[in-house]
mmCIF file of all heavy atoms in Angstrom:
data_model
loop_
_atom_site.group_PDB
_atom_site.id
_atom_site.type_symbol
_atom_site.label_atom_id
_atom_site.label_comp_id
_atom_site.label_asym_id
_atom_site.label_seq_id
_atom_site.Cartn_x
_atom_site.Cartn_y
_atom_site.Cartn_z
ATOM 1 N N MET A 1 -0.671 -10.746 6.617
ATOM 2 C CA MET A 1 0.220 -10.316 5.549
ATOM 3 C C MET A 1 1.575 -11.012 5.654
ATOM 4 O O MET A 1 2.596 -10.369 5.677
ATOM 5 C CB MET A 1 0.416 -8.802 5.617
ATOM 6 C CG MET A 1 -0.813 -8.016 5.289
ATOM 7 S SD MET A 1 -1.372 -8.262 3.612
ATOM 8 C CE MET A 1 0.000 -7.715 2.688
ATOM 9 N N ASP A 2 1.512 -12.324 5.792
ATOM 10 C CA ASP A 2 2.796 -13.013 5.938
ATOM 11 C C ASP A 2 2.888 -14.184 4.970
ATOM 12 O O ASP A 2 3.368 -15.246 5.311
ATOM 13 C CB ASP A 2 3.002 -13.457 7.392
ATOM 14 C CG ASP A 2 1.783 -14.165 7.933
ATOM 15 O OD1 ASP A 2 0.866 -14.434 7.126
ATOM 16 O OD2 ASP A 2 1.746 -14.450 9.135
ATOM 17 N N TYR A 7 1.626 -13.686 -2.207
ATOM 18 C CA TYR A 7 1.492 -12.281 -2.598
ATOM 19 C C TYR A 7 2.275 -11.991 -3.880
ATOM 20 O O TYR A 7 1.809 -11.263 -4.749
ATOM 21 C CB TYR A 7 1.952 -11.348 -1.458
ATOM 22 C CG TYR A 7 1.734 -9.899 -1.819
ATOM 23 C CD1 TYR A 7 0.457 -9.346 -1.787
ATOM 24 C CD2 TYR A 7 2.788 -9.099 -2.253
ATOM 25 C CE1 TYR A 7 0.234 -8.027 -2.172
ATOM 26 C CE2 TYR A 7 2.575 -7.782 -2.638
ATOM 27 C CZ TYR A 7 1.298 -7.257 -2.585
ATOM 28 O OH TYR A 7 1.075 -5.953 -2.983
ATOM 29 N N SER A 11 -0.755 -10.270 -6.925
ATOM 30 C CA SER A 11 -0.778 -8.860 -6.522
ATOM 31 C C SER A 11 -0.936 -7.976 -7.758
ATOM 32 O O SER A 11 -0.414 -6.873 -7.799
ATOM 33 C CB SER A 11 0.492 -8.512 -5.737
ATOM 34 O OG SER A 11 1.618 -9.214 -6.227
ATOM 35 N N GLN A 14 -2.561 -4.477 -7.031
ATOM 36 C CA GLN A 14 -1.644 -3.545 -6.370
ATOM 37 C C GLN A 14 -0.595 -3.038 -7.356
ATOM 38 O O GLN A 14 -0.303 -1.837 -7.419
ATOM 39 C CB GLN A 14 -0.926 -4.235 -5.196
ATOM 40 C CG GLN A 14 -1.815 -4.562 -4.013
ATOM 41 C CD GLN A 14 -2.494 -5.926 -4.109
ATOM 42 O OE1 GLN A 14 -2.678 -6.478 -5.194
ATOM 43 N NE2 GLN A 14 -2.882 -6.474 -2.983
ATOM 44 N N HIS A 15 -0.052 -3.958 -8.152
ATOM 45 C CA HIS A 15 1.033 -3.550 -9.044
ATOM 46 C C HIS A 15 0.541 -2.644 -10.166
ATOM 47 O O HIS A 15 1.242 -1.720 -10.580
ATOM 48 C CB HIS A 15 1.782 -4.776 -9.562
ATOM 49 C CG HIS A 15 2.570 -5.428 -8.459
ATOM 50 N ND1 HIS A 15 3.380 -6.513 -8.646
ATOM 51 C CD2 HIS A 15 2.665 -5.126 -7.136
ATOM 52 C CE1 HIS A 15 3.928 -6.854 -7.482
ATOM 53 N NE2 HIS A 15 3.499 -6.035 -6.558
ATOM 54 N N ASN A 18 0.165 0.728 -8.471
ATOM 55 C CA ASN A 18 1.472 1.307 -8.139
ATOM 56 C C ASN A 18 2.123 1.903 -9.387
ATOM 57 O O ASN A 18 2.712 2.987 -9.359
ATOM 58 C CB ASN A 18 2.408 0.240 -7.560
ATOM 59 C CG ASN A 18 1.928 -0.294 -6.215
ATOM 60 O OD1 ASN A 18 1.007 0.261 -5.627
ATOM 61 N ND2 ASN A 18 2.547 -1.364 -5.742
ATOM 62 N N ASP A 58 11.429 2.424 1.349
ATOM 63 C CA ASP A 58 10.102 1.955 0.913
ATOM 64 C C ASP A 58 9.406 1.351 2.135
ATOM 65 O O ASP A 58 9.876 0.347 2.693
ATOM 66 C CB ASP A 58 10.262 0.929 -0.217
ATOM 67 C CG ASP A 58 8.910 0.495 -0.799
ATOM 68 O OD1 ASP A 58 7.863 0.889 -0.256
ATOM 69 O OD2 ASP A 58 8.929 -0.268 -1.787
ATOM 70 N N VAL A 59 8.312 1.960 2.556
ATOM 71 C CA VAL A 59 7.599 1.519 3.762
ATOM 72 C C VAL A 59 6.540 0.486 3.379
ATOM 73 O O VAL A 59 5.656 0.781 2.576
ATOM 74 C CB VAL A 59 6.937 2.728 4.460
ATOM 75 C CG1 VAL A 59 6.090 2.266 5.648
ATOM 76 C CG2 VAL A 59 7.980 3.736 4.891
ATOM 77 N N GLY A 60 6.637 -0.712 3.949
ATOM 78 C CA GLY A 60 5.716 -1.806 3.604
ATOM 79 C C GLY A 60 6.132 -2.410 2.279
ATOM 80 O O GLY A 60 5.334 -2.568 1.367
ATOM 81 N N VAL A 61 7.399 -2.768 2.219
ATOM 82 C CA VAL A 61 7.996 -3.224 0.946
ATOM 83 C C VAL A 61 7.468 -4.594 0.513
ATOM 84 O O VAL A 61 7.568 -4.973 -0.647
ATOM 85 C CB VAL A 61 9.545 -3.217 1.068
ATOM 86 C CG1 VAL A 61 10.020 -4.303 2.034
ATOM 87 C CG2 VAL A 61 10.220 -3.364 -0.280
ATOM 88 N N GLY A 62 6.874 -5.337 1.462
ATOM 89 C CA GLY A 62 6.289 -6.646 1.140
ATOM 90 C C GLY A 62 7.346 -7.631 0.672
ATOM 91 O O GLY A 62 8.459 -7.696 1.207
ATOM 92 N N ASP A 63 7.024 -8.391 -0.370
ATOM 93 C CA ASP A 63 7.939 -9.416 -0.884
ATOM 94 C C ASP A 63 9.134 -8.787 -1.610
ATOM 95 O O ASP A 63 10.080 -9.493 -1.955
ATOM 96 C CB ASP A 63 7.191 -10.354 -1.840
ATOM 97 C CG ASP A 63 6.628 -9.603 -3.037
ATOM 98 O OD1 ASP A 63 6.152 -8.466 -2.859
ATOM 99 O OD2 ASP A 63 6.677 -10.137 -4.159
ATOM 100 N N GLY A 64 9.093 -7.500 -1.884
ATOM 101 C CA GLY A 64 10.230 -6.803 -2.506
ATOM 102 C C GLY A 64 10.157 -6.745 -4.019
ATOM 103 O O GLY A 64 10.882 -5.979 -4.651
ATOM 104 N N HIS A 65 9.267 -7.528 -4.611
ATOM 105 C CA HIS A 65 9.233 -7.637 -6.072
ATOM 106 C C HIS A 65 8.969 -6.290 -6.740
ATOM 107 O O HIS A 65 9.718 -5.866 -7.627
ATOM 108 C CB HIS A 65 8.169 -8.652 -6.503
ATOM 109 C CG HIS A 65 8.004 -8.716 -7.988
ATOM 110 N ND1 HIS A 65 8.780 -9.525 -8.781
ATOM 111 C CD2 HIS A 65 7.197 -8.026 -8.835
ATOM 112 C CE1 HIS A 65 8.441 -9.340 -10.046
ATOM 113 N NE2 HIS A 65 7.484 -8.442 -10.108
ATOM 114 N N PHE A 66 7.913 -5.610 -6.317
ATOM 115 C CA PHE A 66 7.577 -4.352 -6.987
ATOM 116 C C PHE A 66 8.710 -3.335 -6.814
ATOM 117 O O PHE A 66 9.108 -2.661 -7.768
ATOM 118 C CB PHE A 66 6.249 -3.776 -6.444
ATOM 119 C CG PHE A 66 5.899 -2.486 -7.112
ATOM 120 C CD1 PHE A 66 5.319 -2.481 -8.370
ATOM 121 C CD2 PHE A 66 6.208 -1.270 -6.516
ATOM 122 C CE1 PHE A 66 5.042 -1.284 -9.027
ATOM 123 C CE2 PHE A 66 5.932 -0.071 -7.163
ATOM 124 C CZ PHE A 66 5.342 -0.088 -8.419
ATOM 125 N N ALA A 67 9.247 -3.262 -5.595
ATOM 126 C CA ALA A 67 10.300 -2.278 -5.320
ATOM 127 C C ALA A 67 11.508 -2.509 -6.222
ATOM 128 O O ALA A 67 12.033 -1.591 -6.842
ATOM 129 C CB ALA A 67 10.710 -2.366 -3.851
ATOM 130 N N VAL A 85 11.360 -1.511 4.346
ATOM 131 C CA VAL A 85 10.971 -1.946 5.694
ATOM 132 C C VAL A 85 9.583 -2.554 5.658
ATOM 133 O O VAL A 85 8.759 -2.201 4.820
ATOM 134 C CB VAL A 85 11.018 -0.794 6.732
ATOM 135 C CG1 VAL A 85 12.435 -0.304 6.935
ATOM 136 C CG2 VAL A 85 10.088 0.356 6.358
ATOM 137 N N ASP A 86 9.331 -3.474 6.586
ATOM 138 C CA ASP A 86 8.027 -4.132 6.648
ATOM 139 C C ASP A 86 7.807 -4.654 8.060
ATOM 140 O O ASP A 86 8.764 -5.046 8.741
ATOM 141 C CB ASP A 86 7.965 -5.282 5.641
ATOM 142 C CG ASP A 86 6.522 -5.613 5.262
ATOM 143 O OD1 ASP A 86 5.803 -6.228 6.092
ATOM 144 O OD2 ASP A 86 6.108 -5.239 4.151
ATOM 145 N N SER A 87 6.540 -4.681 8.487
ATOM 146 C CA SER A 87 6.243 -5.170 9.839
ATOM 147 C C SER A 87 6.144 -6.694 9.867
ATOM 148 O O SER A 87 6.033 -7.280 10.943
ATOM 149 C CB SER A 87 4.932 -4.562 10.344
ATOM 150 O OG SER A 87 3.885 -4.891 9.456
ATOM 151 N N SER A 88 6.149 -7.328 8.702
ATOM 152 C CA SER A 88 6.068 -8.787 8.673
ATOM 153 C C SER A 88 7.463 -9.390 8.502
ATOM 154 O O SER A 88 8.156 -9.126 7.517
ATOM 155 C CB SER A 88 5.157 -9.222 7.502
ATOM 156 O OG SER A 88 5.493 -10.519 7.079
ATOM 157 N N MET A 91 7.844 -11.382 5.290
ATOM 158 C CA MET A 91 8.085 -10.562 4.095
ATOM 159 C C MET A 91 9.559 -10.131 4.049
ATOM 160 O O MET A 91 10.207 -10.190 2.995
ATOM 161 C CB MET A 91 7.181 -9.318 4.088
ATOM 162 C CG MET A 91 5.721 -9.626 3.854
ATOM 163 S SD MET A 91 5.396 -10.176 2.152
ATOM 164 C CE MET A 91 3.605 -10.103 2.085
ATOM 165 N N LEU A 109 10.420 -3.294 10.457
ATOM 166 C CA LEU A 109 9.982 -2.066 11.137
ATOM 167 C C LEU A 109 8.474 -1.909 11.000
ATOM 168 O O LEU A 109 7.925 -2.005 9.899
ATOM 169 C CB LEU A 109 10.664 -0.829 10.510
ATOM 170 C CG LEU A 109 10.172 0.527 11.042
ATOM 171 C CD1 LEU A 109 10.705 0.803 12.448
ATOM 172 C CD2 LEU A 109 10.582 1.671 10.118
ATOM 173 N N ASP A 110 7.823 -1.682 12.134
ATOM 174 C CA ASP A 110 6.404 -1.297 12.105
ATOM 175 C C ASP A 110 6.382 0.228 12.049
ATOM 176 O O ASP A 110 6.851 0.894 12.978
ATOM 177 C CB ASP A 110 5.711 -1.817 13.374
ATOM 178 C CG ASP A 110 4.247 -1.377 13.444
ATOM 179 O OD1 ASP A 110 3.854 -0.453 12.703
ATOM 180 O OD2 ASP A 110 3.516 -1.964 14.251
ATOM 181 N N ILE A 111 5.856 0.775 10.964
ATOM 182 C CA ILE A 111 5.928 2.225 10.758
ATOM 183 C C ILE A 111 5.079 2.978 11.768
ATOM 184 O O ILE A 111 5.235 4.199 11.928
ATOM 185 C CB ILE A 111 5.564 2.595 9.292
ATOM 186 C CG1 ILE A 111 6.041 4.009 8.931
ATOM 187 C CG2 ILE A 111 4.075 2.422 9.021
ATOM 188 C CD1 ILE A 111 7.505 4.249 8.975
ATOM 189 N N SER A 112 4.205 2.279 12.496
ATOM 190 C CA SER A 112 3.411 2.995 13.504
ATOM 191 C C SER A 112 3.937 2.762 14.918
ATOM 192 O O SER A 112 3.244 3.039 15.900
ATOM 193 C CB SER A 112 1.937 2.584 13.411
ATOM 194 O OG SER A 112 1.784 1.235 13.773
ATOM 195 N N SER A 113 5.176 2.273 15.026
ATOM 196 C CA SER A 113 5.711 2.024 16.372
ATOM 197 C C SER A 113 6.105 3.351 17.041
ATOM 198 O O SER A 113 6.331 4.351 16.366
ATOM 199 C CB SER A 113 6.881 1.054 16.331
ATOM 200 O OG SER A 113 7.837 1.547 15.441
ATOM 201 N N SER A 129 5.779 4.641 -0.299
ATOM 202 C CA SER A 129 5.013 3.568 0.334
ATOM 203 C C SER A 129 3.854 3.207 -0.590
ATOM 204 O O SER A 129 3.100 4.080 -1.025
ATOM 205 C CB SER A 129 4.479 3.995 1.702
ATOM 206 O OG SER A 129 3.787 2.902 2.288
ATOM 207 N N PHE A 130 3.754 1.924 -0.914
ATOM 208 C CA PHE A 130 2.738 1.454 -1.852
ATOM 209 C C PHE A 130 1.838 0.428 -1.164
ATOM 210 O O PHE A 130 2.319 -0.592 -0.649
ATOM 211 C CB PHE A 130 3.396 0.776 -3.069
ATOM 212 C CG PHE A 130 4.277 1.704 -3.859
ATOM 213 C CD1 PHE A 130 5.647 1.755 -3.611
ATOM 214 C CD2 PHE A 130 3.740 2.536 -4.829
ATOM 215 C CE1 PHE A 130 6.461 2.609 -4.335
ATOM 216 C CE2 PHE A 130 4.548 3.395 -5.550
ATOM 217 C CZ PHE A 130 5.912 3.435 -5.308
ATOM 218 N N TYR A 131 0.552 0.700 -1.194
ATOM 219 C CA TYR A 131 -0.461 -0.267 -0.731
ATOM 220 C C TYR A 131 -0.213 -0.760 0.691
ATOM 221 O O TYR A 131 -0.409 -1.929 0.989
ATOM 222 C CB TYR A 131 -0.576 -1.442 -1.716
ATOM 223 C CG TYR A 131 -1.792 -1.273 -2.613
ATOM 224 C CD1 TYR A 131 -1.710 -0.562 -3.793
ATOM 225 C CD2 TYR A 131 -3.026 -1.791 -2.229
ATOM 226 C CE1 TYR A 131 -2.830 -0.375 -4.598
ATOM 227 C CE2 TYR A 131 -4.149 -1.606 -3.019
ATOM 228 C CZ TYR A 131 -4.050 -0.900 -4.194
ATOM 229 O OH TYR A 131 -5.161 -0.720 -4.966
ATOM 230 N N THR A 132 0.191 0.143 1.566
ATOM 231 C CA THR A 132 0.494 -0.268 2.939
ATOM 232 C C THR A 132 -0.247 0.554 3.991
ATOM 233 O O THR A 132 -0.766 -0.011 4.964
ATOM 234 C CB THR A 132 2.019 -0.148 3.175
ATOM 235 O OG1 THR A 132 2.670 -1.123 2.351
ATOM 236 C CG2 THR A 132 2.400 -0.378 4.624
ATOM 237 N N LEU A 133 -0.329 1.862 3.806
ATOM 238 C CA LEU A 133 -0.775 2.695 4.934
ATOM 239 C C LEU A 133 -2.249 2.497 5.302
ATOM 240 O O LEU A 133 -2.671 2.895 6.384
ATOM 241 C CB LEU A 133 -0.440 4.173 4.680
ATOM 242 C CG LEU A 133 1.078 4.427 4.662
ATOM 243 C CD1 LEU A 133 1.392 5.837 4.184
ATOM 244 C CD2 LEU A 133 1.703 4.176 6.032
ATOM 245 N N HIS A 134 -3.031 1.824 4.429
ATOM 246 C CA HIS A 134 -4.422 1.530 4.826
ATOM 247 C C HIS A 134 -4.461 0.428 5.890
ATOM 248 O O HIS A 134 -5.493 0.192 6.495
ATOM 249 C CB HIS A 134 -5.279 1.139 3.608
ATOM 250 C CG HIS A 134 -4.659 0.108 2.740
ATOM 251 N ND1 HIS A 134 -4.000 0.415 1.578
ATOM 252 C CD2 HIS A 134 -4.578 -1.237 2.866
ATOM 253 C CE1 HIS A 134 -3.556 -0.699 1.022
ATOM 254 N NE2 HIS A 134 -3.892 -1.708 1.785
ATOM 255 N N TRP A 135 -3.335 -0.260 6.097
ATOM 256 C CA TRP A 135 -3.274 -1.281 7.151
ATOM 257 C C TRP A 135 -3.003 -0.663 8.521
ATOM 258 O O TRP A 135 -3.019 -1.363 9.532
ATOM 259 C CB TRP A 135 -2.133 -2.271 6.858
ATOM 260 C CG TRP A 135 -2.397 -3.157 5.698
ATOM 261 C CD1 TRP A 135 -1.867 -3.035 4.437
ATOM 262 C CD2 TRP A 135 -3.245 -4.303 5.652
ATOM 263 N NE1 TRP A 135 -2.350 -4.027 3.628
ATOM 264 C CE2 TRP A 135 -3.200 -4.824 4.349
ATOM 265 C CE3 TRP A 135 -4.056 -4.939 6.602
ATOM 266 C CZ2 TRP A 135 -3.928 -5.954 3.964
ATOM 267 C CZ3 TRP A 135 -4.776 -6.059 6.219
ATOM 268 C CH2 TRP A 135 -4.699 -6.548 4.918
ATOM 269 N N VAL A 136 -2.678 0.624 8.526
ATOM 270 C CA VAL A 136 -2.153 1.228 9.750
ATOM 271 C C VAL A 136 -3.227 2.060 10.453
ATOM 272 O O VAL A 136 -3.666 3.088 9.943
ATOM 273 C CB VAL A 136 -0.925 2.112 9.406
ATOM 274 C CG1 VAL A 136 -0.363 2.753 10.658
ATOM 275 C CG2 VAL A 136 0.137 1.281 8.688
ATOM 276 N N ALA A 142 2.366 6.911 12.229
ATOM 277 C CA ALA A 142 3.017 6.479 10.987
ATOM 278 C C ALA A 142 3.546 7.688 10.216
ATOM 279 O O ALA A 142 4.701 7.697 9.757
ATOM 280 C CB ALA A 142 2.034 5.694 10.129
ATOM 281 N N VAL A 237 -3.797 -11.324 1.001
ATOM 282 C CA VAL A 237 -3.723 -10.164 1.904
ATOM 283 C C VAL A 237 -4.775 -10.219 3.012
ATOM 284 O O VAL A 237 -5.047 -9.216 3.660
ATOM 285 C CB VAL A 237 -3.876 -8.829 1.117
ATOM 286 C CG1 VAL A 237 -2.708 -8.578 0.205
ATOM 287 C CG2 VAL A 237 -5.195 -8.779 0.341
HETATM 288 C C1 LIG B 1 -0.217 -5.193 0.163
HETATM 289 S S1 LIG B 1 1.406 -5.326 0.750
HETATM 290 C C2 LIG B 1 2.247 -4.166 -0.302
HETATM 291 C C3 LIG B 1 3.642 -4.626 -0.635
HETATM 292 C C4 LIG B 1 4.353 -3.761 -1.692
HETATM 293 N N1 LIG B 1 4.537 -2.406 -1.229
HETATM 294 C C5 LIG B 1 3.579 -3.782 -2.993
HETATM 295 O O1 LIG B 1 2.995 -2.738 -3.340
HETATM 296 O O2 LIG B 1 3.558 -4.820 -3.643
HETATM 297 C C6 LIG B 1 1.358 -4.409 2.290
HETATM 298 C C7 LIG B 1 2.590 -4.615 3.138
HETATM 299 O O3 LIG B 1 2.548 -3.681 4.219
HETATM 300 C C8 LIG B 1 3.062 -4.321 5.372
HETATM 301 N N2 LIG B 1 2.607 -3.571 6.546
HETATM 302 C C9 LIG B 1 1.352 -3.572 7.085
HETATM 303 N N3 LIG B 1 1.330 -2.778 8.174
HETATM 304 C C10 LIG B 1 2.581 -2.260 8.314
HETATM 305 C C11 LIG B 1 3.190 -1.397 9.258
HETATM 306 N N4 LIG B 1 2.505 -0.911 10.293
HETATM 307 N N5 LIG B 1 4.508 -1.080 9.102
HETATM 308 C C12 LIG B 1 5.218 -1.592 8.068
HETATM 309 N N6 LIG B 1 4.700 -2.436 7.158
HETATM 310 C C13 LIG B 1 3.398 -2.767 7.272
HETATM 311 C C14 LIG B 1 2.537 -5.736 5.264
HETATM 312 O O4 LIG B 1 3.268 -6.653 6.049
HETATM 313 C C15 LIG B 1 2.685 -5.995 3.760
HETATM 314 O O5 LIG B 1 3.898 -6.584 3.441
#
Side-chain angles (χ1 to χ4, degrees):
M1 292 297 300
D2 48 8
Y7 184 76
S11 35
Q14 291 88 336
H15 290 183
N18 294 350
D58 185 354
V59 175
V61 69
D63 61 321
H65 175 87
F66 180 80
V85 295
D86 203 286
S87 58
S88 155
M91 290 290 192
L109 174 74
D110 177 344
I111 198 62
S112 66
S113 55
S129 182
F130 298 95
Y131 259 88
T132 293
L133 294 171
H134 49 261
W135 290 103
V136 180
V237 293

